[in-house]
Amino acid sequence: MDADFVHRLTAQSTLAELPAFDTSLDLSTKGQALGETFDRSPHLPGVVVMEGDGVRGVISRGQYLRLVGRRFGLEVFLPRPLRLMFEAIQGGDEESLLLDVDTPVQDAVGRALERPRSLIYEPVIVQGLRRGRRELRLIDFPDLLRADSRISTLRNRQMQEILSTVQEGFLLVDREHRIAAEYSRSIEVLFGSSGLGDRRLPAVLAEILPEASAQLARDYLGVLFNPNVIESLVADINPLQRVETRPGAGDGGPRHLAFSFRRSVEEGTIRRILVRVEDVSREVELAEEMDTRDRRAQERVDLVFDILRTDLPSTAAWLGRLGGEVSRVRTWLDGPSPLRNATHAGLAALFRALHGLKGEAGLLELGRFQRRLHAAEDALATLRGGPTEETLESLRERIADLENLAAEGEGILDQLRGLRGPTAAPAPSMDPVPSIEPAPSTEPAPSTEPAFAGPAFADNGSSLFRSISLLTERLAGRLGKPTRFLTRCAEEEIPGVYRDLVRGTLVQLVRNALVHGIEAPEIRRARGKAPVGVLQFALRRHLDQGRIELIFQDDGGGLDLDAIRRRAEARGLTVEDGRGAAAAIFESGLSTAAETTVDAGRGVGLDLVKSQVEAHGGYVATFSEPGKFCAFQIVLPWTVDGEAP
């Protein structure tokens, strides 16, 4: 037989891997045949005794020798059938152990040890199928014990390997909060410290946890050692159920550790506290990853619905403009010497570009894009005080966020186009914002035209003006200033070359009026006004003079010239009179808002209006009366299909 079978065993080995013997005899066979069988096979542990097709039991070599070794044993048993010998061995009542060949070794040992004491060391019968027929064989019990010993050794070795890699550890703490000398070695890995025996646990924790957590642990141990406190009732207030180690504590960076505490009671006295520490960092990471995936999936669903609510051609055109501007900023950031090229004029041009896109995002109700653009403006604002590598990197991150969102928006649009079929051609893009180094322009002389103060106009329901009305309602609701937008001109009256300019200009003027001009309802009532503010827009053609006039007016509090003058002088600008203060509102970065929000505070909106109007060969003038109104007059060359008449 194979004496080295134990070296091939694994912790999962079954009886099929043990050496077995397949000798069997029928109960009717004479005892002499059994003796001859044992003589021929000195290693045979026994034979299976059959009765017809059924198993009757086992006669082992030891049983056989004990019987025939008695006085007159040979004469009594050898001439007679095995039935006599079998009944003499087991009394005819004991059932032999019959196990399946796939039984795990350690399970088989357990079953064998449950036999009567007289049969414990006898062979075990195993059955299995071979070529479709049942096969009965014997396994010697010593071989079974050898296999069991080998498997126990292997499992102990595996357990040691598991314990050496498991991310948890145990230690005992006495009433003085001292750590017992014996503790699991993984504790040293988790704490990043060795030689913990006899040290106080709170002091050890103070090295890896925030001070407040270490103090809470000290207090909690005091509670657990109090015999008047019921342990189960304070388990939920465990302050270390999940804590993060400090940066630089231990090996491999910060970890998330989970502590649990259990009393060790001897003779009714709380002697020690068993502390279990588990590294749950991966669990925390997986939870955060799942939260991130869920959040991104929900954001994508929300973005799909946001885009579905918009006019797809307009959104597609806007995304095209966004992509162009973001690409321009990216080229500058990744180009040579961005620190040196971050001039005041260049930053102002970038602010105008992003601010204009943010305003249109609000018009299209693309709130996520609006917030990302606002965050990019925040990063850009940090460059005004002098750019650094750190502030540039922050801007790069915000631009990357915009790029990712824009790509996602483009992907959603492509899918929607496939569902809806071909859409109309994209709307023409707005005139490009000046480059980072814009060419200088000469401001026309201020107009002396009177401010528009005509009757209230009715909203004609055109696509452009309906969008502006909705923008007014949303912003007014957010600011708590009920306001209406009114106009009497049709969108078709605006020359095609100016429609994008008018759209962008109205977005900025509406936001400016609601933030700075329109008063809260209680202030309007005190001034004798209706509680609902009014924004008006009108268009006049002066064909004899070759120009077109746009007028936007609000019935708010007018320009706060003193506040404008103070802000202007704080920026080093000289303001000599009211007209100079009114002109200062178009300076890049000048704002009288108390704080910067998504709606105001950048000092970019009116700068954007002025620069775009001047890029079209026009000019802007303001008219204001304190407590009554503020009006913006925009004069542009009259054009028909983009050409002067």
Side-chain angles (χ1 to χ4, degrees), residues 171-209:
L171 55 85
L172 286 169
V173 179
D174 64 15
R175 300 186 67 86
E176 300 298 324
H177 301 172
R178 293 184 183 277
I179 301 173
E182 295 299 325
Y183 53 84
S184 55
R185 296 301 105 181
S186 55
I187 283 288
E188 295 185 348
V189 177
L190 296 176
F191 288 178
S193 179
S194 60
L196 301 177
D198 205 39
R199 294 186 61 189
R200 284 186 169 85
L201 178 60
V204 174
L205 295 180
E207 297 174 358
I208 63 171
L209 300 180

Side-chain angles (χ1 to χ4, degrees), residues 482-617:
T483 305
R484 294 184 299 161
F485 173 81
L486 303 173
T487 180
R488 67 179 176 186
C489 72
E491 184 175 350
E492 291 73 19
E493 296 180 52
I494 304 172
V497 71
Y498 290 145
R499 286 181 187 171
D500 282 339
L501 172 65
V502 171
R503 179 186 295 106
T505 297
L506 283 177
V507 168
Q508 301 303 328
L509 293 180
V510 165
R511 289 155 64 95
N512 182 76
L514 281 165
V515 172
H516 299 287
I518 299 297
E519 312 96 322
E522 58 273 16
I523 297 177
R524 293 180 64 85
R525 290 191 184 94
R527 291 177 175 175
K529 298 180 180 180
V532 178
V534 177
L535 309 181
Q536 303 180 59
F537 175 74
L539 180 148
R540 294 174 181 168
R541 300 178 181 181
H542 302 282
L543 301 184
D544 56 333
Q545 300 177 30
R547 64 180 184 174
I548 182 173
E549 180 184 16
L550 309 175
I551 300 175
F552 178 87
Q553 177 176 306
D554 67 71
D555 66 344
L559 296 178
D560 187 344
L561 298 179
D562 289 337
I564 295 170
R565 183 180 292 108
R566 288 193 300 270
R567 290 296 178 93
E569 291 175 349
R571 291 174 54 85
L573 301 176
T574 301
V575 178
E576 297 180 352
D577 53 19
R579 181 172 293 277
I585 64 175
F586 297 101
E587 287 290 331
S588 177
L590 191 146
S591 175
T592 58
E595 60 180 347
T596 299
T597 68
V598 72
D599 301 311
R602 299 289 187 198
V604 180
L606 296 182
D607 172 35
L608 175 61
V609 170
K610 180 173 177 288
S611 64
Q612 290 190 339
V613 168
E614 290 178 350
H616 284 78

